[in-house]
Amino acid sequence: MTHLFSFYLLVFTAMITPGPNNLLTMYSGLNFGFKRTFPFILGVLFGSGILLFVIGLGLGSLFESLPMLKTIMKVAGSLYILFLALKIALMSDVKGQGRASPISFWAAALFQWVNPKVWIFFLTYVSIFHVTSNIWANTLILVVSIIILNFPCLMIWTFCGKQIQKIMHNKRQVKLLNRLLGLVLAMSVLLLWK
């Protein structure tokens, strides 16, 4: 029971803290609201669930045996996060009007595969909490736990973005906040290289 509680505490802490997924969720909540952000949230849950399942079944050991692969993934993920940060910083539409659109379900799902924070945490989860006796069942338990714990965290970040949207009264304020979110997202890359 203590083992399970430790796992849930670690997962919740990792999922609620700022990172690329949460900052993008807040950005989407701010600019597009709950309804248009929901496909992004589902994409994060789907993509991260599939990724964790694959890591749990053995992909994680590949990264341990080929350290260069881990570096390549960090570089690719960092570049993509910087691209998203720039895109967010340059967005100036108020409340999702204009040409801008929220990140799609599939883009969010695929983003998990280059999100270094997700990889780092999932490799850690599997190495600490994975039991080899029944690999399929234990991996499935990890995946379901991650999805159940991550969903409210993503909703909280969306809610924060939506609340901030309510106090933003003009295009200049939204543009300033988008630049700030873009900067914070870009700075999150530095934490991945510690």
Side-chain angles (χ1 to χ4, degrees):
M1 188 65 152
T2 306
H3 184 70
L4 198 57
F5 177 75
S6 299
F7 171 71
Y8 288 148
L9 187 61
L10 176 64
V11 169
F12 182 78
T13 303
M15 297 298 157
I16 197 69
T17 56
N21 282 332
N22 290 338
L23 291 171
L24 289 170
T25 304
M26 184 181 204
Y27 152 80
S28 189
L30 166 69
N31 289 281
F32 306 107
F34 266 108
K35 187 176 180 182
R36 294 183 70 197
T37 299
F38 206 68
F40 173 80
I41 291 170
L42 294 178
V44 168
L45 297 174
F46 178 78
S48 60
I50 298 294
L51 177 62
L52 180 57
F53 193 73
V54 172
I55 289 173
L57 293 180
L59 184 65
S61 59
L62 179 65
F63 279 84
E64 297 305 318
S65 62
L66 298 170
M68 187 60 157
L69 196 56
K70 197 182 285 186
T71 303
I72 291 169
M73 185 62 78
K74 280 175 82 170
V75 169
S78 297
L79 291 173
Y80 189 66
I81 290 170
L82 289 173
F83 165 75
L84 289 174
L86 182 63
K87 193 173 174 180
I88 288 170
L90 297 177
M91 186 176 164
S92 61
D93 292 299
V94 178
K95 299 181 181 177
Q97 298 169 353
R99 293 182 305 156
S101 60
I103 300 170
S104 72
F105 172 89
W106 289 111
L110 292 174
F111 175 62
Q112 305 317 297
W113 290 76
V114 294
N115 184 342
K117 180 183 176 186
V118 171
W119 275 94
I120 290 165
F121 283 119
F122 285 179
L123 289 170
T124 302
Y125 298 152
V126 169
S127 66
I128 293 173
F129 297 104
H130 201 261
V131 180
T132 57
S133 61
N134 190 346
I135 194 167
W136 286 89
N138 287 309
T139 301
L140 192 56
I141 289 169
L142 285 176
V143 169
V144 170
S145 298
I146 292 288
I147 290 171
I148 289 171
L149 291 169
N150 197 11
F151 180 73
C153 296
L154 293 168
M155 292 302 288
I156 288 168
W157 281 88
T158 305
F159 177 77
C160 289
K162 184 70 177 160
Q163 294 306 106
I164 292 170
Q165 181 192 66
K166 290 179 182 178
I167 61 172
M168 295 287 150
H169 299 295
N170 61 50
K171 189 174 181 174
R172 184 173 172 230
Q173 290 174 333
V174 173
K175 188 174 185 177
L176 183 64
L177 187 56
N178 282 335
R179 286 187 177 164
L180 179 62
L181 286 172
L183 178 64
V184 172
L185 183 60
M187 289 173 44
S188 74
V189 171
L190 298 175
L191 299 174
L192 302 172
W193 289 93
K194 284 179 112 181

